[in-house]
Amino acid sequence: MTATLLPPPVSSTQPPGPPGFGRALRAEWTKFRTLRGWIIAVLVGLALIDAVGLLLVRGSIGCGTASGKACYQPLPTGPDGEAVTDAFYFAHRTLTGDGTITARMTDLTGRYSSHPGQVAAGQEDSGETVGTQPWSKAGILIKDGLTPGSAYAAMTATGGHGTRMQWNFTHDAAGLPGPVTGSSPRWLRLTRSGDTVTGYDSSDGVTWAKVATARLTGLPATVQVGLFATSPGVLVLTESFGGSSATGGPSTATGTFDHVALSGTVGGADWAGGAVNGDGRPAPLRDGRPLVGSYRPSGGQITVTGSGDIAPAVPAASTSPGATATIGDHLAGIFLGLVVLIVVAAMFATAEYRRGLIRITLAAIPSRGRLLAAKATVIGAVTFAAGLVAVGVAVPVGVRISRDSGFYVLPVSGAIEARLIVGTALVLAVCSVLALAVGVILRRGAAAVAAVVVVGIVLPYLLGTAAGLPDSAREWLLRVTPAAGFAIGQTIPRYAQVTARYDAPAYFPLGPWAGFAVLCGYATVALAIAYLLLRRRDA
Amino acid sequence: MNAAVPALGRALRAEWTKQRTVAGPAWLLAVVVVLTIAVSAAAAATFHCRPGTECPVDTARLSLTGVQVGQAVVAVLAATAVGAEYGTGLIRVTLTAVPGRLTLLATKAVTVTVPVLVAAAGAVLGSLQVGRLLLPRLSLADGQVLRAAGGSVLYLALIALLTVGVAAAVRDTAAALGVVLGLLYLFPIVSAAVSNPHWQRRLDQLSPMKSGLAIQATTNLPDLPLAPWPGLGVLAAWTAAALLAGALVLRFRDA
């Protein structure tokens, strides 16, 4: 009996003196672990992320029919594995082995729909306006066959960006500036040597300048070579009630060529004309027939007309209306989970003040810095682990469900998918640490939750992505508030050579890690203020 | 003890004394007014309407943007008024003094909502006043604008009542606030992530914030998921459900 009244023997593993960080960490972990409510809350948050994300997959299928198969055709995949739009008109011949194609362009014109947005894909377009799009293209092309998505290199005149050399969809190099006209023609040349294709341009056909050298790995001996034209859809941004919206419509481009010369082993007696149609939707109609383009030789001149684009696909790009889904679209539940985790993190700090436990805690761990670090480590690690599990399930499973139900999801590399999953878990962890620090600063659970959820993260994100604020204000919100951290969800890069609405939630004003750094900055400042207040204030 | 004062009146006076004699509620009401006007002014200032052109933005709604932030402070106020009693154990004393559970909930609802109504009126009128300075063609004499203003005040009062109900049900300030803010802000985020227009419309109709704030719209009314007054009705339905849940928990569970 008496033995139970004795104080427990001092363990030799706990030396006298101030407790170290390890013991503080263990104490805080025990506090967290043994409260059933908090563990349940974390599990609920985790379940919400998965449940909402996966339940909403069906809601993301946006063509109004029951099955995505009816309206989404998969986009071709480029040589580097990204989804691409590969639709153009091509007057081509075969070239075996090394060789060169040279042509002079004297004109690039175009037509586009006068009332974009009112003409759906596969329907008749009546009124048209004359003019090119900024990225209307016509020029010369060397391509690995006629399959959409195959490797290529092109020298092209554009509607608004001068002469360019582009290859394998994502690469773009600038040549001579200025538009093509009869008085200032553009000479274009592509030379194939083994795996490499070199592009040159010239304004007189005498002095040539090299634009770039493309390395097309695995280019076969026989390739298609010729003249092409293509033009992406019109993109019109309208600011209106409830924010701004983007509408698009088809457009065509016509290039006029002469002095076309080929050297090397060329097959076929004449050019063969045909459309390459790889943009995941039926071609628009004109005069009741699909708008596939044309090729017309007249005297020494050849004109080629085409519609589409040769470019990487981006979410909501005007040229690929169906391909709007990214793997990040399966994380719609993240905010629901985040609010739960913020409440837990804020209470982890403020619950100590409610019943005066903080005085016992500080008696046991007198070092304010050590206590704060231990608390931040525990809550950060718990939310990171929980987030990693939740997001690690939601993304791969959601993508799988989407693809099984016929919904096209833009493919990304494994590294990008890993960045999305780990990055999102990191954002959850840093948000929790921010909530903890604000909880220590304000010492009231309700105030801390309101400050972090409303002022800090969720409301700026909401106003920045969904509500009817002007574009400049929305961009500013996603740049300077902690909501910038959600930039980590960007999985498809921006491309200078694709005209699209690069807009939240698929795109943020800051890059993935830059946005995350903004969030970390807020958390660091909040922790510093919490540390100073914890030192200066009596508990 | 004065037996002439009926039980409800005494309970009301007790709750009002609690609200009045703590510094927190008064500060929070001031924050509601200041924050609402500040955010509204910021939103109105970022908008530039080119002279001579048709303004594509609903000016009344734009100048009431701050309500979307102010509602969170209203929720803090209401959640604290109910939840704080559970945090300190005061609720047991309160229930000894006022044993009628429904009486207590009703008095709490009244003593929270009436000050909120006053603050909301100040916040909304201030926001519109700032909007009139910054935006063209915004007149308080317009019937639509008056409806947007009056409706916004009612909206904030309904948010206070919703939070009272949720806080009585979950019995913790921070958790109640998490539930309310989740309910308000997450519907719009989820609906923005959904690209199917049919689903989007249905989510917007269910959302207490999106539907409730339809009361602020003065242009393009047919584009709304719900007409202004039915929209506010959706929020009222959520509020009624929350108060019912709160009343049931208070009535059938020990404090």
Side-chain angles (χ1 to χ4, degrees):
Chain A
M1 279 304 282
T2 46
T4 55
L5 294 176
L6 286 173
V10 177
S11 157
S12 58
T13 57
Q14 291 185 0
F21 179 66
R23 270 170 59 200
L25 201 61
R26 219 177 91 194
E28 291 303 326
W29 168 235
T30 308
K31 271 187 220 168
F32 189 88
R33 181 170 60 81
T34 49
L35 267 174
R36 206 180 44 183
W38 290 354
I39 297 291
I40 291 176
V42 169
L43 293 177
V44 164
L46 196 147
L48 282 173
I49 292 176
D50 284 340
V52 174
L54 297 182
L55 281 176
L56 282 174
V57 166
R58 254 178 62 82
S60 312
I61 301 174
C63 63
T65 59
S67 162
K69 289 188 177 87
C71 49
Y72 296 113
Q73 294 159 10
L75 289 171
T77 305
D80 302 329
E82 73 288 329
V84 299
T85 309
D86 199 8
F88 56 99
Y89 195 88
F90 195 20
H92 55 93
R93 300 169 84 161
T94 56
L95 171 72
T96 306
D98 294 347
T100 296
I101 176 171
T102 308
R104 187 176 79 154
M105 278 193 77
T106 53
D107 200 15
L108 174 65
T109 59
R111 297 203 286 170
Y112 61 92
S113 169
S114 345
H115 32 69
Q118 294 162 19
V119 186
Q123 290 203 335
E124 188 81 24
D125 183 10
S126 46
E128 284 190 315
T129 312
V130 172
T132 54
Q133 301 306 306
W135 285 106
S136 292
K137 296 170 201 148
I140 55 177
L141 180 67
I142 289 180
K143 190 169 172 69
D144 173 9
L146 298 173
T147 315
S150 55
Y152 76 94
M155 278 299 301
T156 173
T158 63
H161 298 274
T163 309
R164 318 289 292 195
M165 175 162 176
Q166 298 188 336
W167 66 98
N168 282 3
F169 303 97
T170 52
H171 303 276
D172 176 41
L176 289 167
V180 176
T181 59
S183 55
S184 89
R186 288 284 179 269
W187 292 76
L188 310 172
R189 174 176 287 168
L190 284 171
T191 301
R192 180 195 176 176
S193 169
D195 273 4
T196 58
V197 177
T198 310
Y200 304 89
D201 61 4
S202 162
S203 51
D204 53 11
V206 180
T207 43
W208 290 87
K210 188 176 116 176
V211 180
T213 299
R215 202 180 153 75
L216 309 180
T217 321
L219 199 63
T222 299
V223 293
Q224 297 291 335
V225 56
L227 313 171
F228 80 98
T230 190
S231 184
V234 194
L235 182 74
V236 181
L237 294 178
T238 342
E239 285 235 350
S240 66
F241 174 74
S244 54
S245 62
T247 47
S251 76
T252 60
T254 302
T256 308
F257 301 84
D258 59 11
H259 298 283
V260 182
L262 288 164
S263 72
T265 316
V266 181
D270 201 1
W271 300 105
V276 172
N277 188 4
D279 65 356
R281 60 170 177 164
L285 300 180
R286 175 172 297 155
D287 305 329
R289 283 180 325 222
L291 180 69
V292 290
S294 63
Y295 138 72
R296 281 197 196 87
S298 66
Q301 276 197 341
I302 299 173
T303 59
V304 180
T305 301
S307 176
D309 204 359
I310 310 177
V314 297
S318 57
T319 47
S320 49
T324 52
T326 62
I327 60 169
D329 288 353
H330 302 93
L331 286 176
I334 204 80
F335 288 94
L336 216 49
L338 182 64
V339 170
V340 177
L341 294 177
I342 284 175
V343 170
V344 171
M347 282 168 84
F348 189 45
T350 58
E352 300 239 359
Y353 289 96
R354 208 162 67 189
R355 297 278 164 87
L357 177 66
I358 186 74
R359 287 187 284 274
I360 299 171
T361 303
L362 286 175
I365 308 165
S367 160
R368 269 57 173 170
R370 217 167 275 160
L371 173 67
L372 195 61
K375 273 198 178 298
T377 309
V378 166
I379 199 70
V382 166
T383 42
F384 177 73
L388 202 59
V389 171
V391 180
V393 170
V395 171
V397 176
V399 170
R400 184 73 187 273
I401 294 177
S402 287
R403 289 194 174 140
D404 282 353
S405 52
F407 185 33
Y408 186 73
V409 181
L410 291 173
V412 295
S413 67
I416 299 282
E417 187 167 350
R419 186 186 74 194
L420 175 72
I421 294 172
V422 176
T424 307
L426 279 173
V427 166
L428 291 178
V430 177
C431 286
S432 300
V433 172
L434 178 66
L436 174 93
V438 173
V440 172
I441 294 170
L442 298 176
R443 307 208 273 198
R444 277 189 186 81
V449 170
V452 177
V453 171
V454 178
V455 186
I457 297 163
V458 177
L459 189 65
Y461 179 85
L462 179 62
L463 289 175
T465 54
L469 283 185
D471 279 353
S472 55
R474 298 170 49 222
E475 189 165 297
W476 181 81
L477 274 174
L478 294 178
R479 202 182 272 279
V480 302
T481 63
F486 289 97
I488 205 83
Q490 300 171 100
T491 51
I492 309 290
R494 288 166 197 253
Y495 295 101
Q497 71 269 34
V498 181
T499 307
R501 187 155 193 249
Y502 293 107
D503 197 12
Y507 291 97
F508 278 70
L510 294 174
W513 294 113
F516 180 65
V518 170
L519 175 64
C520 288
Y522 275 97
T524 311
V525 170
L527 273 179
I529 295 173
Y531 172 68
L532 287 178
L533 287 179
L534 205 55
R535 277 191 65 139
R536 288 183 49 184
R537 282 197 306 218
D538 287 337
Chain B
M1 193 155 291
N2 188 353
V5 182
L8 186 67
R10 279 200 350 244
L12 208 55
R13 223 175 79 195
E15 284 303 321
W16 175 238
T17 309
K18 273 189 225 165
Q19 283 284 304
R20 190 168 50 80
T21 50
V22 209
W27 277 110
L28 285 171
L29 288 172
V31 172
V32 170
V33 177
V34 172
L35 201 61
T36 304
I37 296 177
V39 173
S40 297
T46 54
F47 179 72
H48 300 290
C49 195
R50 271 164 304 178
T53 57
E54 188 71 26
C55 259
V57 165
D58 185 340
T59 46
R61 181 170 211 159
L62 186 67
S63 62
L64 289 171
T65 307
V67 170
Q68 296 183 36
V69 183
Q71 63 180 352
V73 187
V74 168
V76 173
L77 174 81
T80 313
V82 179
E85 297 217 3
Y86 286 96
T88 54
L90 177 67
I91 188 72
R92 287 188 285 274
V93 180
T94 304
L95 285 175
T96 312
V98 187
R101 267 49 174 178
L102 297 184
T103 311
L104 179 66
L105 189 64
T107 53
K108 280 215 177 284
V110 170
T111 49
V112 168
T113 311
V114 171
V116 165
L117 271 172
V118 175
V124 164
L125 287 178
S127 296
L128 283 176
Q129 207 62 4
V130 173
R132 267 178 52 186
L133 295 175
L134 295 170
L135 296 167
R137 284 191 299 285
L138 180 67
S139 159
L140 271 177
D142 187 341
Q144 303 262 45
V145 177
L146 264 185
R147 188 249 300 139
S152 297
V153 175
L154 285 180
Y155 174 88
L156 288 173
L158 283 171
I159 294 293
L161 283 173
L162 172 78
T163 315
V164 167
V166 170
V170 305
R171 317 209 287 185
D172 181 277
T173 318
L177 201 61
V179 171
V180 170
L181 295 182
L183 202 56
L184 290 180
Y185 294 128
L186 294 173
F187 270 101
I189 287 182
V190 169
S191 107
V194 165
S195 51
N196 185 330
H198 178 71
W199 279 62
Q200 212 168 28
R201 201 172 169 80
R202 182 161 292 177
L203 279 171
D204 285 349
Q205 286 173 344
L206 270 178
S207 155
M209 175 170 156
K210 262 263 171 67
S211 286
L213 285 178
I215 200 74
Q216 294 185 341
T218 59
T219 58
N220 292 49
L221 293 185
D223 286 356
L224 290 172
L226 273 178
W229 288 110
L232 201 62
V234 169
L235 174 62
W238 279 98
T239 303
L243 283 173
L244 182 67
L248 288 178
V249 169
L250 203 57
R251 177 75 185 74
F252 294 109
R253 214 176 134 182
D254 288 337

